[in-house]
Amino acid sequence: MAATLKDVAERAGVSRSAVSRTFTDGASVSDKMRRKVEKAADELGYQPNFLARSLTTRRTKLIGLVSDNFTNPFFLHVFDLFTSELQKRGLRPLLVNISGQHDPVDTAQMLRQYSVDGVIVASSTVEKGFVDAFRKVRLPEVYTLSRHSCSPDVNIVGIDNEAAGAFAAEVLIGRGYKRIGFMGGPEIATSTMDRFVGFSRVMSRHPELEFTHSFAEAYSFDAGRDEMLRLLKDPPAEAYFGADDVISIGALSAMHSHGLKVPDDVGLMGLNDLEMAGWANINLTTIRQPVRQIVDSSVELIATALEESEEDHVPQARLFPAKLVERGTLRPPHTG
Amino acid sequence: MAATLKDVAERAGVSRSAVSRTFTDGASVSDKMRRKVEKAADELGYQPNFLARSLTTRRTKLIGLVSDNFTNPFFLHVFDLFTSELQKRGLRPLLVNISGQHDPVDTAQMLRQYSVDGVIVASSTVEKGFVDAFRKVRLPEVYTLSRHSCSPDVNIVGIDNEAAGAFAAEVLIGRGYKRIGFMGGPEIATSTMDRFVGFSRVMSRHPELEFTHSFAEAYSFDAGRDEMLRLLKDPPAEAYFGADDVISIGALSAMHSHGLKVPDDVGLMGLNDLEMAGWANINLTTIRQPVRQIVDSSVELIATALEESEEDHVPQARLFPAKLVERGTLRPPHTG
DNA sequence: ATCTTATTTGCAACCGGTTGCAAAGCACAT
DNA sequence: ATGTGCTTTGCAACCGGTTGCAAATAAGAT
């Protein structure tokens, strides 16, 4: 069907190795030979087969991109950045969707069977079972947007969620709010829990302030809205930190339908800086993760891990600062 | 490193073919042999290498999943469905992001070099260059959510955008609106233009109605909002069809900030039924594409194309009906 | 022209599997 | 014991490449 190395060699009247060498950079071929081979290859439309090559080179340039987060629009952006960045380096993402009930061991074995060079896990809610299973196949791997503390001997890139939670509390306190609420995602999400820990730590240093907390059922608009509707049966806090934008936007909708003015009656801050947080009818003050840097750094980390031998590689955590994006749902800094 | 066929054969004291056969379904192996081999394989943690196997079987089970649509949240759902559905059939999506300036020929060659079994193009805005380049590598391919008319000799799955445009016009007319506006995405998007053609066709049958049209700069919230703000400098139409939800939601925000009540002052209808179209503070009446069926059908089509020889395969178009999702941005059907 | 050294080339083995074919093994009938 | 037909097994070639090594060629030094 498609032309092979052998076809090219025959047509050019040279050995197969010669052809192979013209298509391998750094190999020793004379100019004359190279021209002869390239001519034959062009005429036949020959392209080397990456998979056959991988058998001897032990490099497929395939990277498993594993996620279970296919509902939060934030992750479309994450996938966009990951795919472009990997492609720039000649790496190819094999996308693996582990939402639904997938067996961790099967998934890990599948990745090994496809000889992926490395694995990127992009999710903050990946189960422990996957972490263990992936580790067993001994592939270079990096966890992105994942929990900092859970696997100390593995590459992690993201923000420090505890620090981000603490920062959120400091911002709200800095605006002079006295009755402050934390509204998280589901309690099984490590991202939410880490943010909660940081948030609580700061609040506990201010016993003069009133601190309440609650958790939405899921990382979704509806869950955020429902939870806020529940909270609004009682007099609300003066300001809330919603541990994710999509939840905060749900909460905002609940506030509006209760006739509450934001930020005049109640303040609200999110986290993630979704594109729609900037929409004119939402205009959510939020904390931004530097996604581009996080992704770039993850890809760079996996790319260098591919070069090193397994023993040489020392896993690292790369934590980035999150920063406030001021919009219209918090009152301005307290002056005086 | 990892155990190979040869390792297992030696440990079990049998030939390599015997091992190969135990891991190939439908091959002839006695029970005794199978047990012996499986024991050895277990002890060594052996798993067959898919890529080596593909060399002789000529099947990688890799499917190129090509898209340039990484900003519309609608596509996160599309990717979710595609990956799960492919995985269910043991197929693996190699995700290719062709947004940005990618050379069509390079992309097509890359897919050939990775020996993908087939290609799914999931986008309504793919350039002609890609269609041509993909065709040249002679891989089974299906275009999903793509233009119906552009390539008659290629598999296409999606809705009939012209019909959907016509349907939209009929709905608005049926609600008794007399001054009707079409608001499209960018004029280079085939989806928008096809919808516009259908919409116009119906409107032209009603010369007694006033019909205006305009196009937003992009498929984005901001573009929709900007375009609507521009329109609102003059007295607006009674109702608009925004050819995509994200544009419509932008337009909705513009209407609100002009103090217009929807649907009392002006009606609005979108297309796609994004999750957020159902959010309480948006509540957009819209036209839904049956995404799940479209994706399932695409995967089924590519799966059967893989079985057939190239000559036997006859390309087909599978068009699904789109249907109205009634929410709160259109007045109820006109009675009397 | 001759010797030394560096560069280019081809041979053949290998990467990790599959598969057509013929030999071997088996069950059963004669 | 012999023959028949069916299943199981191993041999060896192949899939499409790469690569260590030695032979062949080219380049440079004398």
Side-chain angles (χ1 to χ4, degrees):
Chain A
M1 186 64 223
T4 75
L5 194 80
K6 190 162 148 249
D7 301 331
V8 179
E10 280 167 9
R11 172 172 262 259
V14 300
S15 74
R16 289 158 61 226
S17 347
V19 180
S20 172
R21 287 190 179 105
T22 33
F23 287 93
T24 314
D25 8 68
S28 118
V29 231
S30 68
D31 284 5
K32 195 173 4 142
M33 172 67 86
R34 154 156 280 128
R35 272 193 299 273
K36 235 191 320 187
V37 170
E38 277 174 352
K39 179 154 172 293
D42 276 3
E43 289 165 356
L44 295 171
Y46 169 77
Q47 293 288 127
N49 179 325
F50 282 176
L51 302 185
R53 168 180 289 176
S54 79
L55 235 39
T56 38
T57 60
R58 306 183 157 282
R59 286 269 170 284
T60 54
K61 302 206 164 214
L62 289 173
I63 301 289
L65 180 55
V66 179
S67 182
D68 63 351
N69 219 317
F70 284 79
T71 54
N72 189 340
F74 178 62
F75 274 82
L76 184 59
H77 189 214
V78 171
F79 294 151
D80 187 14
L81 294 172
F82 262 124
T83 48
S84 334
E85 197 58 28
L86 288 168
Q87 286 175 188
K88 264 188 219 155
R89 295 175 184 256
L91 300 172
R92 303 294 157 189
L94 192 67
L95 187 58
V96 184
N97 183 345
I98 56 169
S99 41
Q101 58 319 329
H102 284 278
D103 180 39
V105 175
D106 286 353
T107 306
Q109 284 187 346
M110 182 277 285
L111 288 168
R112 208 186 66 175
Q113 295 193 289
Y114 274 99
S115 310
V116 298
D117 288 349
V119 178
I120 292 172
V121 180
S123 168
S124 61
T125 54
V126 155
E127 288 167 40
K128 184 85 168 34
F130 280 99
V131 180
D132 294 342
F134 288 155
R135 183 149 357 157
K136 277 218 192 76
V137 301
R138 315 202 128 278
L139 251 28
E141 49 176 355
V142 30
Y143 286 79
T144 301
L145 301 167
S146 188
R147 173 172 247 182
H148 171 36
S149 42
C150 85
S151 318
D153 50 350
V154 111
N155 292 301
I156 301 217
V157 183
I159 61 168
D160 182 335
N161 280 311
E162 271 191 50
F167 175 57
E170 280 157 10
V171 169
L172 293 182
I173 294 170
R175 300 298 163 99
Y177 292 109
K178 305 288 182 220
R179 301 201 325 278
I180 293 177
F182 174 96
M183 188 170 147
E187 292 180 71
I188 51 158
T190 60
S191 45
T192 274
M193 294 319 287
D194 293 347
R195 289 165 199 168
F196 180 57
V197 167
F199 198 93
S200 306
R201 177 159 32 80
V202 169
M203 292 309 297
S204 70
R205 290 205 297 265
H206 293 268
E208 77 280 12
L209 304 176
E210 196 180 311
F211 174 39
T212 57
H213 66 269
S214 70
F215 298 94
E217 298 251 311
Y219 271 133
S220 77
F221 177 89
D222 287 335
R225 180 177 159 86
D226 289 351
E227 185 58 25
M228 184 51 71
L229 287 175
R230 211 180 55 74
L231 292 175
L232 290 177
K233 287 184 188 149
D234 299 317
E238 288 173 13
Y240 290 91
F241 170 52
D244 177 275
D245 275 6
V246 83
I247 287 178
S248 303
I249 294 171
L252 185 63
S253 140
M255 291 165 174
H256 284 151
S257 53
H258 261 243
L260 291 170
K261 288 222 178 306
V262 181
D264 299 344
D265 299 329
V266 54
L268 180 65
M269 177 168 52
L271 190 150
N272 256 352
D273 196 25
L274 289 188
E275 195 203 350
M276 68 188 88
W279 290 1
N281 54 346
I282 292 179
N283 201 28
L284 179 70
T285 295
T286 188
I287 292 176
R288 171 189 296 158
Q289 314 198 38
V291 205
R292 159 146 265 137
Q293 282 95 315
I294 290 174
V295 168
D296 288 1
S297 182
S298 302
V299 172
E300 195 237 309
L301 192 52
I302 200 99
T304 64
L306 299 187
E307 320 269 272
E308 301 170 354
S309 72
E310 196 187 334
E311 304 79 49
D312 289 359
H313 184 73
V314 9
Q316 51 184 282
R318 293 186 178 178
L319 297 182
F320 288 83
K323 78 169 213 259
L324 187 67
V325 178
E326 187 76 49
R327 293 207 184 85
T329 55
L330 280 190
R331 67 186 180 206
H334 200 209
T335 50
Chain B
M1 189 61 222
T4 75
L5 194 80
K6 190 164 148 247
D7 301 332
V8 178
E10 279 168 9
R11 172 172 263 259
V14 300
S15 74
R16 289 157 63 227
S17 348
V19 180
S20 173
R21 288 191 179 106
T22 30
F23 286 93
T24 314
D25 8 69
S28 119
V29 231
S30 67
D31 284 4
K32 196 175 3 147
M33 172 67 85
R34 154 155 280 130
R35 271 192 298 275
K36 236 195 315 191
V37 170
E38 277 173 352
K39 179 155 173 293
D42 275 3
E43 289 165 358
L44 296 170
Y46 169 77
Q47 293 287 127
N49 179 325
F50 282 176
L51 302 185
R53 168 180 288 176
S54 79
L55 236 39
T56 38
T57 59
R58 301 179 165 282
R59 286 269 171 283
T60 54
K61 302 208 163 212
L62 289 172
I63 300 288
L65 180 55
V66 179
S67 182
D68 63 350
N69 219 316
F70 284 80
T71 53
N72 190 340
F74 177 61
F75 274 83
L76 184 59
H77 189 213
V78 171
F79 294 151
D80 187 13
L81 294 173
F82 262 124
T83 48
S84 336
E85 196 58 27
L86 287 168
Q87 286 174 189
K88 261 187 222 157
R89 294 175 185 257
L91 300 172
R92 302 296 157 189
L94 191 68
L95 187 58
V96 184
N97 183 345
I98 57 169
S99 42
Q101 57 319 329
H102 284 277
D103 180 40
V105 175
D106 286 354
T107 306
Q109 284 187 348
M110 182 278 284
L111 288 168
R112 207 186 66 172
Q113 295 193 292
Y114 273 100
S115 311
V116 298
D117 287 349
V119 178
I120 292 172
V121 181
S123 168
S124 60
T125 55
V126 156
E127 289 168 39
K128 184 87 168 34
F130 279 99
V131 181
D132 294 342
F134 287 154
R135 184 149 359 158
K136 277 219 193 74
V137 300
R138 316 201 125 278
L139 251 29
E141 48 176 357
V142 30
Y143 287 79
T144 301
L145 301 168
S146 188
R147 173 172 247 183
H148 170 34
S149 42
C150 85
S151 319
D153 50 350
V154 109
N155 292 301
I156 300 215
V157 183
I159 61 167
D160 182 335
N161 280 310
E162 271 191 47
F167 175 57
E170 280 158 9
V171 170
L172 293 181
I173 294 170
R175 301 298 163 100
Y177 292 110
K178 303 290 181 218
R179 301 200 327 280
I180 292 176
F182 174 95
M183 188 170 147
E187 292 181 71
I188 51 158
T190 60
S191 46
T192 274
M193 294 319 288
D194 293 347
R195 288 164 200 169
F196 180 57
V197 167
F199 198 92
S200 305
R201 178 159 31 80
V202 170
M203 291 308 297
S204 70
R205 290 206 298 264
H206 292 269
E208 77 281 10
L209 304 176
E210 196 180 312
F211 174 38
T212 56
H213 66 270
S214 70
F215 297 94
E217 299 250 312
Y219 271 134
S220 76
F221 177 89
D222 287 335
R225 179 178 161 85
D226 289 351
E227 185 58 25
M228 185 51 71
L229 286 174
R230 210 180 56 72
L231 293 175
L232 290 178
K233 286 183 189 150
D234 299 317
E238 288 173 12
Y240 289 93
F241 170 52
D244 177 274
D245 275 6
V246 83
I247 288 178
S248 303
I249 294 171
L252 184 63
S253 139
M255 292 165 175
H256 284 152
S257 54
H258 261 244
L260 291 170
K261 289 224 178 307
V262 181
D264 298 344
D265 300 327
V266 54
L268 179 65
M269 176 168 52
L271 190 150
N272 256 352
D273 196 26
L274 289 188
E275 195 202 351
M276 68 188 87
W279 290 2
N281 54 346
I282 292 178
N283 201 29
L284 179 71
T285 295
T286 189
I287 293 176
R288 172 190 295 158
Q289 314 198 38
V291 205
R292 160 146 265 137
Q293 282 94 316
I294 289 174
V295 168
D296 287 2
S297 182
S298 302
V299 172
E300 195 237 309
L301 192 52
I302 200 100
T304 63
L306 299 187
E307 319 270 273
E308 300 171 354
S309 72
E310 197 188 332
E311 304 79 50
D312 290 358
H313 184 73
V314 9
Q316 52 184 282
R318 293 186 178 178
L319 298 182
F320 288 82
K323 77 168 214 259
L324 187 67
V325 179
E326 188 77 49
R327 292 206 184 86
T329 55
L330 280 191
R331 65 184 181 208
H334 199 209
T335 50

